[in-house]
Amino acid sequence: MSSAPFDGNRRLPPLVNEPIRSYAPGSPERAALKSRLAAMEKECPEIPLVIGGKEIRTGDIEKATSPHKHGHVTATWHKARPEDVKAAIKSSAEAQRDWSTWRWEDRAAILLKAAELLATTWRPTMAAATMLGQSKTAFQAEIDATCELIDFWRLNVAFAGELYGEQPMSSQGMWNQTDLRGLEGFVYAVTPFNFTAIGGNLPTAPALMGGTSLWKPSNAAILSSWYTMKLLIEAGLPPGVVNFVPGDPIMISDIALSHPDLGGIHFTGSTTVFQSMWKTVGNNISNYKSYPRIVGETGGKDFIIAHPSADIAGLATAIVRGGFEYQGQKCSAASRVYIPKSIWPEVRDRVIAMIKDIKVGDVNNFTNFMGAVIDKRAHDRITGYLADGKKNAKVLAGGTANGETGWFVEPTLIQTEDPAYRLLCEEIFGPVVTAYVYDDNKWAETLKIVDSTSPYALTGAVFSRDRKAIHEAHAALRNSAGNFYINDKPTGAIVGQQPFGGSRASGTNDKAGSKMNLMRWASARTVKETFVPATEHHYPFMDAE
Ligand code: NAD
């Protein structure tokens, strides 16, 4: 089926950021979410693969559990076999033949409908799945699984409209046009555990532009990924446009990355995994039909640097919210802070006081500010960093972890006197903030340290009330962060407002949810039509004088 005939430049509905709901006591959204959470706790869906619109049950089954209650099974899911991956690639190619002939507005309509479903009937389900499966609080689930995913779907449509509207000039007697074709082959979309919205965005952005995707969701976010897939199907996504293939990432990647039809990679996750995928593409480069587009948003070691003029209450709050929300498991989480000696005692005491006030526990209890970290592997890794902090630095607050019923880690503040200490350099991906206190007269030197301490360049913030100091930080840290904040925490980017992505080891910086990203999924064809062709091959300069 290709698009229905339609003449007219269609005007898009107004596309704005989805308003964030408060979930305050007594609000209708709180009641709806609580009731969906209670029901979902009793459900245990058996999650299939979806290939060419068909549900596939392989019989090779794994269990998914709640991070904050790891004895509780939230779902079981079928793992892909090699033949399923091959079938998904074939199905993507078949679906693409028809899908790429649809008018873009008809593809867009599916994402706009998906956004509307998510904003209404699906809202409690997607939030509850993200809470139970990934241990997000109600608010963190709202800003991720609901608002950010709605924003990706709606605003990508607006950005695609702008891209399609960008047409070349034409001189007299001809008509020049740009045809933005979806990528040939399939896009391999590999998504991380920490944002349900990224799961929904990575396979659909290439689809909006006329391509098709093989989506390998994160095993640790399988529940919310499954509901995302079901929602897309309900919104009318045709069979094969997104194939849902959970399973062993190494086996699936080996098949997908060596296939001649690989059109692109849309990845978000850790730096090491992305680098290994890029290497595989390099090794296979002569086997592909096209050069695969490679887009990857990866790790971070995000900073806050304070000037002596910083507003102390704002700074302390940014450290706590930026460092500990979602247990520090945001790629943008503040994890290294640089504070001048003169204000350190007050900043430290405020942060410690807030940490003491933070409740960590089951996200079903809405008074908790933090849930659990994602799994045992993360718990062990973070516990290792805590042990290092106790041995080689000073733990000022928190510092303990408990994995008995859930993978809990206390919010932790550590101080070091060594600017090259490993907790200031490596991505921990947990609720651990390390502080380095500098002499007030070493502002310029400290900016250099911030810039050169880690291989990443994702997010960072400066706190200052002195405009000259802000200018200096701006200049010295120009390449240290793809998202730079002034007097704000380095987390919480909103689609359309703060396009997100970093450079250096943090990724290709194609800014998820922007025109820059969508352009990576289009291959431009330039069309020149001459109305009256030349009929004489001689040029005037060739005439005899
Ligand atoms: P991860 O790298 O462990 O996993 C990401 C995805 O890659 C998952 O689907 C996983 O199954 C798959 N994968 C794992 N090993 C693989 C392999 N050998 N070959 C192919 N695929 C493989 O990351 P995660 O723990 O899910 O997410 C956390 C990481 O993601 C952090 O480093 C964080 O900074 C990063 N992240 C970055 C951004 C950003 O926008 N820059 C956003 C979110 C998360």
Side-chain angles (χ1 to χ4, degrees), residues 42 103 152 197 211 263-264 270 272 338 343 348 390 435 442 447 484 541:
K42 296 194 198 97
R103 285 181 60 124
F152 275 136
S270 57
T272 45
Y338 301 80
I343 62 170
R348 178 195 60 206
K390 280 176 200 153
K442 296 233 164 104
L447 288 173
F484 187 63
F541 79 90

Side-chain angles (χ1 to χ4, degrees), residues 188-195 198 216-220 247-254 257 267-274 276-277 296-302 329-332 374-375 377 381 427 429 456 458 500-502 506-507 512:
Y188 184 38
V190 181
T191 56
F193 80 83
N194 67 336
F195 275 90
I198 298 177
K216 200 219 75 63
S218 167
N219 302 346
D248 171 11
I250 294 176
M251 179 277 286
I252 299 173
S253 296
D254 278 351
L257 297 179
F267 175 83
T268 300
S270 57
T271 299
T272 45
V273 169
F274 184 55
S276 78
M277 292 169 88
E297 298 303 335
T298 59
K301 186 68 189 173
D302 311 298
Q329 298 175 116
K330 297 188 185 187
C331 47
S332 54
I374 195 71
D375 55 20
R377 202 163 63 107
R381 186 188 63 238
E427 184 179 52
F429 226 56
Y456 301 107
L458 191 51
F500 191 80
S506 291

Side-chain angles (χ1 to χ4, degrees), residues 422-464:
R422 65 185 274 251
L423 270 69
L424 287 173
C425 308
E426 297 169 18
E427 184 179 52
I428 299 172
F429 226 56
V432 183
V433 172
T434 306
Y436 174 74
V437 180
Y438 70 91
D439 279 336
D440 286 43
N441 59 10
K442 296 233 164 104
W443 165 247
E445 291 88 330
T446 309
L447 288 173
K448 281 197 192 117
I449 291 172
V450 173
D451 177 57
S452 58
T453 296
S454 104
Y456 301 107
L458 191 51
T459 76
V462 58
F463 270 77
S464 170

Side-chain angles (χ1 to χ4, degrees), residues 282-301:
N283 290 337
N284 286 304
I285 200 68
S286 52
N287 302 333
Y288 303 118
K289 292 184 189 156
S290 310
Y291 293 105
R293 301 278 173 92
I294 305 179
V295 173
E297 298 303 335
T298 59
K301 186 68 189 173

Side-chain angles (χ1 to χ4, degrees), residues 168-220:
M169 303 187 311
S170 300
S171 319
Q172 192 68 38
M174 66 176 71
W175 192 1
N176 297 324
Q177 298 173 55
T178 297
D179 168 24
L180 292 185
R181 303 164 299 177
L183 296 187
E184 281 191 290
F186 68 97
V187 172
Y188 184 38
V190 181
T191 56
F193 80 83
N194 67 336
F195 275 90
T196 301
I198 298 177
N201 181 43
L202 266 49
T204 55
L208 174 63
M209 302 307 287
T212 52
S213 307
L214 188 164
W215 177 19
K216 200 219 75 63
S218 167
N219 302 346

Side-chain angles (χ1 to χ4, degrees), residues 467-501:
R467 184 50 60 179
K468 182 164 170 284
I470 293 172
H471 282 316
E472 286 161 356
H474 232 301
L477 303 174
R478 187 153 186 230
N479 292 308
S480 325
N483 282 56
F484 187 63
Y485 294 81
I486 299 165
N487 295 322
D488 204 342
K489 64 183 167 56
T491 59
I494 293 177
V495 181
Q497 297 199 34
Q498 297 97 23
F500 191 80

Side-chain angles (χ1 to χ4, degrees), residues 27 59 129 133 176 191 205 230 239 249 315 321 404 427 504 510 541:
S27 63
N176 297 324
T191 56
K230 279 179 57 125
L315 169 62
R321 284 190 169 175
E404 247 170 71
E427 184 179 52
R504 295 187 182 161
D510 290 288
F541 79 90

